Amino acid sequence: MNGAAARIDELRALIDHHDHRYHVDDAPEIPDADYDALLSELRALEVEHPDLVTPDSPTQRAGAPGRNTFAEVEHRVPMRSLDNAFDVDELRAWTERVRRRLGADAPSGEAPPTRWACELKFDGLAVSLRYEDGVLVQAATRGNGRVGEDVTANVRTIGDVPDRLADGAPPVVEVRGEVYMGLTAFAELNAAQEAAGEKAYVNPRNTAAGSLRQKDAAVTATRDLSFWAYQLGEVVGGPEQGSHLGTLEWLDALGLPVDAHRVAFEATRHDLDYEIDGVVVKVDDLALQEELGFTARAPRWAIAYKLPPEERTTRLLDIEVSIGPGGQATPFARLEPVFVGGSTVAAATLHN
């Protein structure tokens, strides 16, 4: 138990550090795959030792705090994160859990009890847009899932985001979606940076996040950001929706940008003009979504199937050992620096 407790403490400290580097400093030190591995190990240890779970554990929260540069916005409907599946077996296990929760008794391998909605998982920054009487009145980042940052002025500069919805919009509609920077826009921005003798940006995702958090909205306006809508938050007076796919069609009719891809293939991920890191699978029936409910940080009716990260070959320079707060020794590799997944990697943990 002592060894597990020490490793849990070490993992929480590592994840908090990398959350800060990503969300606050806009300077991540490790690629997503390594971060996901740390979070997965922590989650597995907490399942084995539920008495060690604490409310402030990274597994119990939906996001991370921002820079505190903007006013706070309390989300009327929490903006939760998604649980991940890293291979087909994990995805299949999730569908079986959904079946069991819904009381389905169909043998394994038969059709699921309801229709699944599949969407691309965009690699950007989650935001919530609030429209009142069809007019955009507020935009906020996800933040910690309960409280985000007010980025209304910056979001108004994004051409994809309408200031006013089409006729028939309800009194209140909150739209959740992703702000991102397209690959063409990213290449053009870096070309301009290089022409001006400035440092090039590392990847579209971090550049989009940094651009949206500019204190001066005029700077954000020069960054050619884009937006996809994919979910509803609070709605007052809107039409009754029966399915997730039907909701997307309604958002499209209101004039919001909705991605047309409903099925994605790993082999074609680089044919798109924006980055994705997986596919989101959701129970399509909204009544069943409500029945399934949520955990502390994520919906039980949705999961992100993460595509394998890009791989690069490099040279192992040395193996060293770090000593955690509880005295546990964790080996890690010193590598010849290699650029992979949008980050330069010079070290890798070897705890597995």
Side-chain angles (χ1 to χ4, degrees):
M1 178 65 74
N2 289 338
R7 181 58 181 163
I8 285 173
D9 287 343
E10 183 178 27
L11 287 167
R12 287 173 180 165
L14 281 170
I15 292 167
D16 285 343
H17 168 77
H18 291 303
D19 277 343
H20 193 278
R21 292 293 291 166
Y22 175 79
H23 291 280
V24 180
D25 299 336
D26 287 331
E29 295 175 339
I30 60 174
D32 284 356
D34 288 359
Y35 178 89
D36 289 341
L38 294 174
L39 197 60
S40 293
E41 183 186 356
L42 175 59
R43 188 173 291 114
L45 283 171
E46 289 183 344
V47 169
E48 293 178 13
H49 306 283
D51 55 309
L52 298 179
V53 178
T54 59
D56 62 345
S57 173
T59 64
Q60 304 301 303
R61 62 184 184 232
R67 300 176 183 166
N68 296 322
T69 342
F70 300 90
E72 290 187 345
V73 173
E74 184 173 354
H75 299 301
R76 292 167 175 83
V77 176
M79 291 185 70
R80 292 179 169 89
S81 298
L82 292 173
D83 288 333
N84 296 322
F86 295 99
D87 55 42
V88 173
D89 289 339
E90 290 186 0
L91 182 62
R92 186 177 292 114
W94 172 77
T95 63
E96 291 303 318
R97 287 196 299 274
V98 169
R99 285 193 180 100
R100 288 196 298 270
R101 284 188 176 274
L102 293 176
D105 55 2
S108 177
E110 292 189 6
T114 187
R115 186 167 64 163
W116 307 104
C118 299
E119 306 165 78
L120 301 183
K121 185 176 183 298
F122 312 111
D123 205 6
L125 183 73
V127 298
S128 180
L129 312 180
R130 183 177 179 84
Y131 288 85
E132 295 181 358
D133 296 323
V135 178
L136 177 66
V137 297
Q138 189 175 73
T141 62
R142 179 170 61 194
N144 64 11
R146 295 176 291 100
V147 177
E149 298 171 320
D150 189 328
V151 289
T152 308
N154 298 39
V155 166
R156 288 188 190 279
T157 70
I158 301 175
D160 288 346
V161 176
D163 290 324
R164 182 179 292 274
L165 300 179
D167 291 343
V172 174
V173 57
E174 261 189 78
V175 181
R176 272 72 194 273
E178 199 88 357
V179 169
Y180 68 96
M181 178 172 286
L183 297 177
T184 298
F186 179 67
E188 291 174 351
L189 176 61
N190 267 345
Q193 287 289 108
E194 292 170 5
E198 301 288 340
K199 183 180 178 181
Y201 293 99
V202 175
N203 61 52
R205 179 193 59 194
N206 295 339
T207 307
S211 298
L212 190 65
R213 289 177 172 141
Q214 291 291 322
K215 292 182 180 180
D216 185 355
V219 176
T220 304
T222 68
R223 299 295 174 84
D224 196 12
L225 298 177
S226 299
F227 173 79
W228 290 122
Y230 54 65
Q231 195 76 38
L232 285 174
E234 182 185 30
V235 179
V236 177
E240 189 73 24
Q241 301 291 337
S243 72
H244 176 70
L245 292 175
T247 298
L248 295 181
E249 293 174 0
W250 181 63
L251 291 174
D252 182 60
L254 289 177
L256 289 153
V258 177
D259 190 71
H261 296 89
R262 296 290 183 271
V263 179
F265 302 94
E266 179 183 342
T268 62
R269 66 188 291 190
H270 296 298
D271 295 340
L272 303 168
D273 193 40
Y274 46 88
E275 290 192 333
I276 64 170
D277 61 358
V279 178
V280 178
V281 182
K282 301 175 181 177
V283 172
D284 187 45
D285 189 300
L286 299 186
L288 294 182
Q289 286 188 10
E290 185 174 356
E291 181 180 340
L292 288 163
F294 300 84
T295 65
R297 68 178 296 275
R300 293 191 179 95
W301 42 263
I303 196 166
Y305 176 73
K306 301 295 285 286
L307 296 176
E310 295 180 34
E311 296 180 355
R312 294 289 187 271
T313 301
T314 189
R315 189 161 60 95
L316 175 64
L317 301 178
D318 197 7
I319 295 178
E320 300 177 10
V321 177
S322 66
I323 306 300
Q328 182 178 13
T330 302
F332 66 97
R334 289 289 182 191
L335 307 172
E336 187 174 283
V338 59
F339 190 80
V340 55
S343 302
T344 299
V345 179
T349 58
L350 300 175
H351 55 268
N352 289 330

